[in-house]
Amino acid sequence: MTEKWVYLFDEGRGDMKDLLGGKGAGLAEMRRAGIPVPPGFTITTAACIDYYRENRRFPDDLWEQVLEALSKIEQEAGKKFGGHDNPLLVSVRSGAKFSMPGMMDTILNLGLNDETAQTLASLTGNLRFVYDSYRRFIQMFGKVVLGIDSELFEIELDNVKQKHSAILDTDLDAGALREVVELFKKIVREQTGKPFPTDPYQQLRMAIEAVFESWNNRRAIDYRNLNKIPHDLGTAVNVQTMVYGNMGSDSGTGVAFTRNPSTGENELYGEYLLNAQGEDVVAGIRTPKPIREMKNDPNVPGVYEQFEKIAQSLEQHYRDMQDMEFTIERGRLYMLQTRTGKRTGPAAVKIAVDMVKEGLIDERSAVLRVLPEQLDQLLHPTIDAKAPIEVIATGLPASPGAAVGKVVFDADEAAEMAEHGEKVILVRTETSPEDFHGMVAAEAILTARGGMTSHAAVVARGMGKPAVVGAGSVNVNYSEQQFSVDTTVVKKGDYITVDAGTGRIILGQVPTMAPRVSGDFETLMTWADEFRRLGVRTNADTPKDSRVAREFGAEGIGLCRTEHMFFEGNRIEAMREMILADTLEERRRALQKLLPIQKGDFIGIFEAMDGLPVTIRTLDPPLHEFLPREPEEMQAVADAMGIPVTKIADRVHQLAEANPMLGFRGCRLGIVYPEITEMQARAIFQAAIDCTKRGIVVKPEIMIPLVSIIEELRLQKEVVDRVAAEEFAAAGMAIEYKVGTMIELPRAALTADQIATTAEFFSYGTNDLTQTTFGMSRDDAGKFLPEWVARKILPADPFQVLDREGVGKLMRMGTELGRSTRPGLKVGICGEHGGNPSSIEFCNQINLDYVSASPYRVPIARLAAAHAALESVERDK
Amino acid sequence: MTEKWVYLFDEGRGDMKDLLGGKGAGLAEMRRAGIPVPPGFTITTAACIDYYRENRRFPDDLWEQVLEALSKIEQEAGKKFGGHDNPLLVSVRSGAKFSMPGMMDTILNLGLNDETAQTLASLTGNLRFVYDSYRRFIQMFGKVVLGIDSELFEIELDNVKQKHSAILDTDLDAGALREVVELFKKIVREQTGKPFPTDPYQQLRMAIEAVFESWNNRRAIDYRNLNKIPHDLGTAVNVQTMVYGNMGSDSGTGVAFTRNPSTGENELYGEYLLNAQGEDVVAGIRTPKPIREMKNDPNVPGVYEQFEKIAQSLEQHYRDMQDMEFTIERGRLYMLQTRTGKRTGPAAVKIAVDMVKEGLIDERSAVLRVLPEQLDQLLHPTIDAKAPIEVIATGLPASPGAAVGKVVFDADEAAEMAEHGEKVILVRTETSPEDFHGMVAAEAILTARGGMTSHAAVVARGMGKPAVVGAGSVNVNYSEQQFSVDTTVVKKGDYITVDAGTGRIILGQVPTMAPRVSGDFETLMTWADEFRRLGVRTNADTPKDSRVAREFGAEGIGLCRTEHMFFEGNRIEAMREMILADTLEERRRALQKLLPIQKGDFIGIFEAMDGLPVTIRTLDPPLHEFLPREPEEMQAVADAMGIPVTKIADRVHQLAEANPMLGFRGCRLGIVYPEITEMQARAIFQAAIDCTKRGIVVKPEIMIPLVSIIEELRLQKEVVDRVAAEEFAAAGMAIEYKVGTMIELPRAALTADQIATTAEFFSYGTNDLTQTTFGMSRDDAGKFLPEWVARKILPADPFQVLDREGVGKLMRMGTELGRSTRPGLKVGICGEHGGNPSSIEFCNQINLDYVSASPYRVPIARLAAAHAALESVERDK
């Protein structure tokens, strides 16, 4: 007794992937669900294995089983393979257990020869289509089965096109294509020494053999080596009836979704076109009709109802919204493909929540159905996707959102126009602290220079304001009050639209859509919160941001950057006084001015975060960032401060650094000038005492930046603890607080066991940690990093998606080392990766306690944290 | 029966450190060797432990044993404790098993009171000395035993000084000091409510108790915690007779070495002074006489012979050159101290080799006797240590050596003057490639700006030329052709001396001493080579450097920086053409010009290194380093190249980076412009083929810099391998070569297992690895790093001494990971740490295969490698 080598689709099951391959099992599953898919059969992987075992000979009885299966599908299709009246054509495809895309080309329209072509032409009334299919079939068969160089066919095709003065393939008419078919047959004869096989059975046998052979072609072997797929699995072969939607007005084709992929409404959504093939829909020559009109289309009576039922059953079967392709051949509906449908963020949320209500899925599945990044669409204004747009430049999407406004080049002017109710976009070569009030006033910011951590980018993100930075092709001309991109000139007052989600700069006013936070969204977030283990905090520097973040569900502040508080208005003056001070006394005087300001900021933040922890980072950036750069600015500041401009120039010169990222910043400032840390600590504790007295629950966590040596942290903690003791003694009360550190330098992670003896918490500053681990400045990497990603040297931009192999290894090490000397050490992340789903998944994996994201990414982080928890449970099963 | 709590020095042994402490055991050992040390005894650590066990009470019988021992030393000294005729005074010192410096102050002259002071005064005839000792004793005893704040004594002393119009303590006469003694006694009475104890026995008992107590004072506990010394060891107490060299003309004091510490000659070397105390010698009020004159000094007959014999026996006993202090009290010789003597490098070498010849030590000990750093003195010119000098500024000692010359501020002028036979020192604010010929011509280089890796520093080190860089106080004024430091002005043509070993700039001409490489030195190096496991290579960029290094014993080149080859003369022009090229074609044309130049360089280097491996690093620095910076320079280059200056300015602007250290450099260049790597590989293989044909044995190792991702290395290796195949095919021969990578970024070390699948060798670039691990730019760290070292935040400058806890951890990890996927992987180090002994020790520890040092440090590295091997054997015992 011989083995069963051939399974009709009706005989297989979805769980028979080993034997039938992924595709064959999937087709069988659809048939089992009662879905009308064009009939066909699968030759098993076992047959392929046997083929190789027997020195490349068909297993006994295989061909007989194929013929038997073929006759069955002939019956079902009401067609005859190689037949004269209604010829059956088939496709032949490989299909291994694991998907191996591109391993072998598909052969379509197998069964064509001069005779069947003729018949089909009269049946479809479309001579051109038939001969186009025929010449493609010969080329495909020639290449895949006979091993003829495709180039030869292309050259001949070009000759014919030239002869007929045709530019595109579509310019060739049926006659010309018939000519091509003859020429192709000639090529086959010349190259193989034999005529093109006209017998469909011979074609089929050769095609099956070719699929078997393809299992061991170079490409396939390389692919399996790369993806660690065993070489002895063999491939299955799927033979399936071809169906045609262009066989007359009772035929047609279409695509549809089971629910509206844009809004999530539970309604069939799609379009169809009669007497057409899928290609016609795509080509856009004829306009398809909305699917609902099919209901009353007299040409295809009853098909809509059938399709609707199928759609429902597919959705029930796969328990998700489906994206389907179908063909109607002479009034008969065939499903060609179904797959999970892509959807917008709002649709994803609505569908997930609806399906729970409908009892189709559970809450856990609903949470997993919505991709965290999809929430972004619900959280920022976006430009109307339907509006026609003229993109003039693109830059880095530094801070999401979209905004429309009049171009203005000066911060003062921006502020003034905004005061008069005008919406403005601030355009600068790059921004500096002087521009802060202009940035506050503007709807969005555009800069020609700078990276994702440039002043403009950081400040804009902090404010949740759209910003596109480093748009290199934008040429700002301040004196002419205009900017140009190539030949396009945009003058002050002209409208532009900034689509910061994609980094696009668009000419004119494009309508934007406000964020929609529906009840479904809230429902979904509540479910997500039940599943996640990771805490979610926010990076916020102002009371306003803190409130926004809290509304979005933040459970505390993971990073409050005190320096951003110094950029506003007269604050920067006191800051500059401090930097320009020559003596400790002068510096103390200037710091004394900053103390009440900082205290006020902290009070506002503590109030907003009542009951939640607030992590405050002491001064971090190099001091020269607070000083003006351009001579004119220096002069202006000197005049305002009443000091000679040379004093400013000298200090700027003195503070200049070859590599500021690796320079005199972070805790290094606080160690050389402990009075700065002292002032900041005093402001924090005075604010905490003030709030506590008013019944507000304050949980300050003071974070020392850029520590690479335990002793650095020890020295700074000493200052903080001393000031705390002083302030508590003066107030007659004590408040619990923590002192911890950023882990943002490799050495901190490598010596985390030492550092944790002093640090009461860790927070990974993955922006800097990525820069130092890769030795790659984020501001400069723009010159090559995009190419690295494009060329797959790196899988993704490591400043957006955490690099697990390098940076992640340090984080894992740092966390384990830290907890080895301080069990239960609280560890978080406050780099921008804290809002990136893949990075959050990794943070969950290495057992961090929380992630901290910018306010507008807090919901994304919450959902991503839930995904991470659910997926890790899945993995552990 | 009670325990033996007290050991006379004569009863102890050198191996009784547990019981007698380090100092007690050492004194006992000297006595055992027959050396006349002032008699004394040690109270055991067991007594101290018992004291604490019994709630701070003296153990039974302790005091009785002390009294008994005291009477023994009275006999030997011929003095009586508290006696009237010849009072015995003693010192009381703590002495634990492990040295704990600064844990407790010493008490000297114990036994003094009004009576004994009077007696001693008449015996010594030095009233002032006695009362000075007396007031010091009260203060010391007051502070250490009675816990009185020293400040109180100081205030009173100041009052007396003011009263007597004295500025220094030494301005006070005996009368005034007697006054001080009375006032001090009053302080004691006031502070303790009791008079100062006049009974010597009471003084002694209290002092012993105070030493016991000191074991658990805060300082001592902290010290033990820090140094991981157990807290239950207890301390011993040493009580020793005081002796005086100022008891008349038959008394005296002196210091001497058993061999000449400057030359190593085997002769007694030192000086003595009659009727004096050690302090008098130090104070320099009287001029001591050479020790050899003591031979015929009628005042101290026979003492020289006795001393000579003692010196010999001490040297025999300790098997090393001794530095001894002695006192003659009334014709009787006492040895107060002996310790291993410090010596110059040349002396160290000579003594070590001589002692082997004398059979005193073995070769292994001889190798360990010479500190690697001491060899530096043998390898560079140094300034004559005896010459009077006027230091006007100090900078970073960027490249060792010393040189004298006329100041010149311009490279052309330097070259011209040198051609006329003048010795010049090139002084620049900073240097650029344009200055190269001036640097070649100069004796030494001085810059006002730049760090240890600045252009000046790197080029100078490469040339083995003295350089002091970053001398911040030097103000260069090109237009006036002078530089100033504060008010000192040095004009063009003035002589200065650059002492680059210490970073000092000295006015005028200081005589320098040429390096001496004696036969002993060679002998020692041969021994060292027998013991070391680590290979020693050199960092050399030119045939000349390669030859020098080979003469110094280099076993190959560990780092050949190809970019330095581009800085010379018309080479930089071709380089600039390449950088300014707009198209691949233009770039290839420029590279074509560089090809023969590079090939020529490599031929020279391969010839010099015949038979030894040569590691060549492909282009590393950011391209903007090759372009001029100042507008005038740009104009000059533009004129020379016949292109508009805007083109240069534009490219400079375009290549400008926020953090060049982390920017577009290293393999990133070779990946974006593979044609550069291709040209370099071609030059290497063409040179290798050329040399091989002439019978030269070439072992090229091509090293890709700044890799952080395996794929980067893979792409570069592909280029190298392809070019190799092409060149070998063309030449009809093949040469073995390796392609490896620098490990100089944390991510490379962290993913070394991946990288080793492609890399055929690793070489740690610890300069950059230190920068990125610490997040500290070497060029900028000058602002705070010295303070970090001074404040002990860091134990040493991590750019000089490898940071084992952070950078070293990465190196250990990288080496282990690399060898996990490529067993036996060859791993070296080519950062400047490769020439630093402590770092070499660590490299030996983590099983690197070789270190690579600059040519002039090769012998140091060889010796350090021998030390590392010998010490690791010692540890493993």
Side-chain angles (χ1 to χ4, degrees), chain A residues 543-554:
Chain A
K544 184 171 159 251
D545 284 351
S546 307
R547 279 190 296 271
V548 170
R550 193 163 190 171
E551 275 161 29
F552 279 135

Side-chain angles (χ1 to χ4, degrees), chain A residues 449 653-665 667-669 671-672 674 706 708-709 711-712 714-715 745-754 771-781 783-784 787-788 791-794 803-807 809-810 813 817, chain B residues 226 449 653-665 667-669 671-672 674 706 708-709 711-712 715 745-754 771-781 783-784 787-788 791-794 803-807 809-810 813 817:
Chain A
R449 282 204 219 127
H653 180 74
Q654 187 190 337
L655 290 173
E657 294 185 302
N659 296 287
M661 153 75 207
L662 307 175
F664 185 47
R665 51 172 286 239
C667 70
R668 296 164 193 171
L669 298 172
I671 290 170
V672 174
L706 214 74
S708 62
I709 311 161
E711 195 56 24
E712 293 173 331
R714 232 185 250 150
L715 287 169
L745 295 173
R747 196 177 188 281
L750 291 162
T751 61
D753 46 348
Q754 292 177 21
Q771 297 196 79
T772 45
T773 303
F774 275 92
M776 206 182 266
S777 155
R778 197 165 173 179
D779 287 324
D780 302 314
K783 287 203 184 87
F784 55 90
E787 191 176 330
W788 262 227
R791 289 173 67 180
K792 304 226 160 105
I793 296 173
L794 276 173
D803 161 52
R804 299 185 185 196
E805 296 180 339
V807 179
K809 195 170 194 174
L810 278 179
M813 196 183 303
L817 285 173
Chain B
L226 199 68
R449 282 204 220 127
H653 180 74
Q654 188 190 335
L655 290 174
E657 294 184 303
N659 296 288
M661 154 75 207
L662 307 175
F664 186 46
R665 51 173 286 239
C667 70
R668 296 163 192 172
L669 298 171
I671 290 170
V672 174
L706 214 73
S708 63
I709 311 161
E711 195 57 25
E712 292 173 331
L715 287 169
L745 294 173
R747 196 178 189 281
L750 291 163
T751 61
D753 45 349
Q754 292 177 23
Q771 296 197 76
T772 45
T773 303
F774 275 91
M776 206 181 267
S777 156
R778 197 166 172 178
D779 287 324
D780 302 313
K783 286 202 186 84
F784 55 91
E787 193 176 329
W788 261 228
R791 290 172 67 179
K792 304 228 158 100
I793 296 173
L794 275 172
D803 161 52
R804 300 185 185 197
E805 295 180 340
V807 179
K809 195 169 194 174
L810 278 178
M813 196 183 303
L817 285 172

Side-chain angles (χ1 to χ4, degrees), chain B residues 175 195 302 740 747 764 767 811 849:
Chain B
R747 196 178 189 281
Y764 286 103
N767 295 354
M811 289 172 69
D849 294 297

Side-chain angles (χ1 to χ4, degrees), chain A residues 400-714:
Chain A
V404 182
K406 286 181 176 174
V407 165
V408 58
F409 297 96
D410 181 85
D412 291 337
E413 228 164 336
E416 209 189 308
M417 287 168 74
E419 243 171 68
H420 290 87
E422 292 203 89
K423 291 191 184 306
V424 297
I425 310 277
L426 182 64
V427 180
R428 301 279 304 166
T429 301
E430 51 191 330
T431 63
S432 72
E434 273 80 19
D435 300 322
F436 189 84
H437 59 296
M439 296 172 76
V440 172
E443 299 297 311
I445 293 112
L446 163 62
T447 70
R449 282 204 219 127
M452 294 291 280
T453 50
S454 63
H455 178 261
V458 170
V459 173
R461 272 197 299 276
M463 296 192 292
K465 189 154 290 203
V468 171
V469 303
S473 61
V474 168
N475 217 315
V476 179
N477 187 331
Y478 292 123
S479 58
E480 299 284 332
Q481 287 286 292
Q482 64 181 40
F483 76 82
S484 60
V485 181
D486 297 329
T487 56
T488 309
V489 175
V490 179
K491 291 186 178 300
K492 187 177 92 173
D494 289 354
Y495 272 105
I496 60 169
T497 301
V498 173
D499 182 20
T502 61
R504 293 182 301 179
I505 305 304
I506 303 161
L507 217 53
Q509 305 183 59
V510 182
T512 59
M513 308 199 299
R516 282 176 299 178
V517 182
S518 68
D520 285 342
F521 173 71
E522 274 186 62
T523 306
L524 190 82
M525 291 313 294
T526 315
W527 295 340
D529 286 348
E530 278 165 27
F531 294 117
R532 70 182 159 94
R533 184 192 62 72
L534 276 172
V536 175
R537 298 193 186 182
T538 191
N539 297 354
D541 309 335
T542 63
K544 184 171 159 251
D545 284 351
S546 307
R547 279 190 296 271
V548 170
R550 193 163 190 171
E551 275 161 29
F552 279 135
E555 298 161 321
I557 290 181
L559 174 62
C560 171
R561 284 156 294 204
T562 49
E563 57 270 20
H564 290 161
M565 302 174 181
F566 296 134
F567 282 129
E568 265 176 273
N570 59 352
R571 299 169 167 215
I572 192 153
E573 285 164 29
M575 191 67 190
R576 283 171 175 163
E577 242 176 78
M578 194 276 288
I579 295 167
L580 292 167
D582 286 322
T583 64
L584 178 60
E585 262 330 293
E586 276 178 50
R587 200 156 42 242
R588 280 199 188 282
R589 255 201 311 281
L591 286 167
Q592 210 49 41
K593 292 186 195 167
L594 289 168
L595 176 61
I597 300 173
Q598 285 245 297
K599 182 181 165 185
D601 289 322
F602 293 138
I603 287 177
I605 290 170
F606 287 147
E607 284 170 351
M609 284 290 161
D610 185 5
L612 299 177
V614 175
T615 308
I616 299 168
R617 179 177 73 183
T618 52
L619 192 68
D620 181 57
L623 297 181
H624 51 72
E625 284 199 8
F626 297 95
L627 295 181
R629 276 173 235 184
E630 303 299 324
E632 313 86 64
E633 288 175 321
M634 286 190 200
Q635 188 62 57
V637 171
D639 292 347
M641 295 183 67
I643 56 172
V645 70
T646 50
K647 174 150 188 179
I648 297 180
D650 282 354
R651 187 56 55 98
V652 166
H653 180 74
Q654 187 190 337
L655 290 173
E657 294 185 302
N659 296 287
M661 153 75 207
L662 307 175
F664 185 47
R665 51 172 286 239
C667 70
R668 296 164 193 171
L669 298 172
I671 290 170
V672 174
Y673 305 120
E675 53 278 11
I676 299 179
T677 308
E678 185 178 324
M679 180 279 286
Q680 296 202 293
R682 210 170 288 288
I684 292 167
F685 291 117
Q686 287 184 359
I689 289 165
D690 177 293
C691 289
T692 306
K693 285 185 176 161
R694 290 185 286 122
I696 294 158
V697 177
V698 183
K699 299 181 175 175
E701 301 184 344
I702 293 149
M703 181 157 73
I704 310 300
L706 214 74
V707 164
S708 62
I709 311 161
I710 162 91
E711 195 56 24
E712 293 173 331
L713 176 61
R714 232 185 250 150

Side-chain angles (χ1 to χ4, degrees), chain A residues 9 27 30-31 35-40 76 240 333-336:
Chain A
F9 290 165
L27 286 163
M30 279 234 276
R31 294 280 295 196
I35 311 301
V37 299
E76 184 181 338
Q240 187 176 22
L333 177 67
Y334 290 100
M335 298 303 295
L336 295 187

Side-chain angles (χ1 to χ4, degrees), chain B residues 119-377:
Chain B
T119 312
L120 216 59
S122 54
L123 280 171
T124 60
N126 193 337
L127 209 64
R128 195 195 170 284
F129 157 73
V130 172
Y131 283 95
D132 194 40
S133 303
Y134 195 8
R135 65 106 182 169
R136 285 179 202 273
F137 168 56
I138 298 173
Q139 180 168 353
M140 223 181 279
F141 192 91
K143 180 185 164 213
V144 176
V145 180
L146 305 173
I148 299 170
D149 188 351
S150 255
E151 188 72 4
L152 294 171
F153 296 107
E154 295 296 339
I155 291 166
E156 209 58 78
L157 181 64
D158 280 345
N159 290 342
V160 174
K161 273 155 77 179
Q162 216 160 351
K163 183 176 145 197
H164 291 271
S165 308
I167 294 166
L168 302 172
D169 289 6
T170 47
D171 295 338
L172 293 175
D173 64 13
L177 288 168
R178 203 161 179 166
E179 219 173 294
V180 173
V181 165
E182 290 310 316
L183 288 165
F184 278 14
K185 287 199 274 189
K186 194 167 148 243
I187 291 174
V188 172
R189 206 162 40 236
E190 282 167 8
Q191 293 294 314
T192 64
K194 290 179 203 163
F196 184 79
T198 51
D199 174 9
Y201 289 96
Q202 193 189 350
Q203 290 173 359
L204 180 59
R205 193 178 170 118
M206 289 171 80
I208 293 168
E209 208 167 332
V211 172
F212 283 166
E213 285 293 326
S214 75
W215 176 252
N216 276 332
N217 70 25
R218 176 68 191 272
R219 253 187 314 168
I221 291 171
D222 287 351
Y223 184 92
R224 289 197 297 270
N225 281 334
L226 199 68
N227 291 278
K228 303 199 168 72
I229 297 174
H231 292 293
D232 58 359
L233 297 177
T235 182
V237 187
N238 297 294
V239 178
Q240 188 176 22
T241 314
M242 300 285 302
V243 291
Y244 300 95
N246 54 348
M247 281 197 169
S249 60
D250 59 348
S251 301
T253 188
V255 294
F257 295 84
T258 55
R259 305 197 183 206
N260 186 318
S262 171
T263 64
E265 286 301 316
N266 192 353
E267 59 184 6
L268 260 189
Y269 182 94
E271 43 198 25
Y272 78 108
L273 195 55
L274 290 185
N275 199 12
Q277 277 222 318
E279 289 172 5
D280 301 324
V281 181
V282 176
I285 300 165
R286 289 159 57 198
T287 307
K289 289 187 274 188
I291 193 95
R292 64 178 176 277
E293 290 183 17
M294 199 163 78
K295 210 170 193 169
N296 304 314
D297 194 325
N299 292 297
V300 285
V303 170
Y304 181 84
E305 288 69 23
Q306 192 194 352
F307 180 71
E308 199 175 27
K309 212 175 283 171
I310 288 170
Q312 272 171 15
S313 77
L314 280 172
E315 199 183 79
Q316 291 285 333
H317 186 75
Y318 290 104
R319 296 170 187 275
D320 202 353
M321 186 264 262
Q322 296 295 301
D323 168 2
M324 304 157 294
E325 286 177 28
F326 62 92
T327 284
I328 308 162
E329 190 184 82
R330 293 178 165 173
R332 190 160 173 185
L333 177 66
Y334 290 101
M335 299 305 295
L336 295 187
Q337 180 165 292
T338 188
R339 56 184 170 194
T340 299
K342 295 209 188 311
R343 63 207 80 176
T344 64
V349 172
K350 180 166 172 48
I351 291 171
V353 175
D354 280 354
M355 284 190 171
V356 172
K357 286 185 199 150
E358 293 161 20
L360 208 56
I361 57 175
D362 60 10
E363 295 173 1
R364 170 204 179 86
S365 303
V367 166
L368 286 171
R369 281 290 163 80
V370 182
L371 295 176
E373 284 297 356
Q374 289 184 308
L375 294 186
D376 205 28
Q377 295 170 35

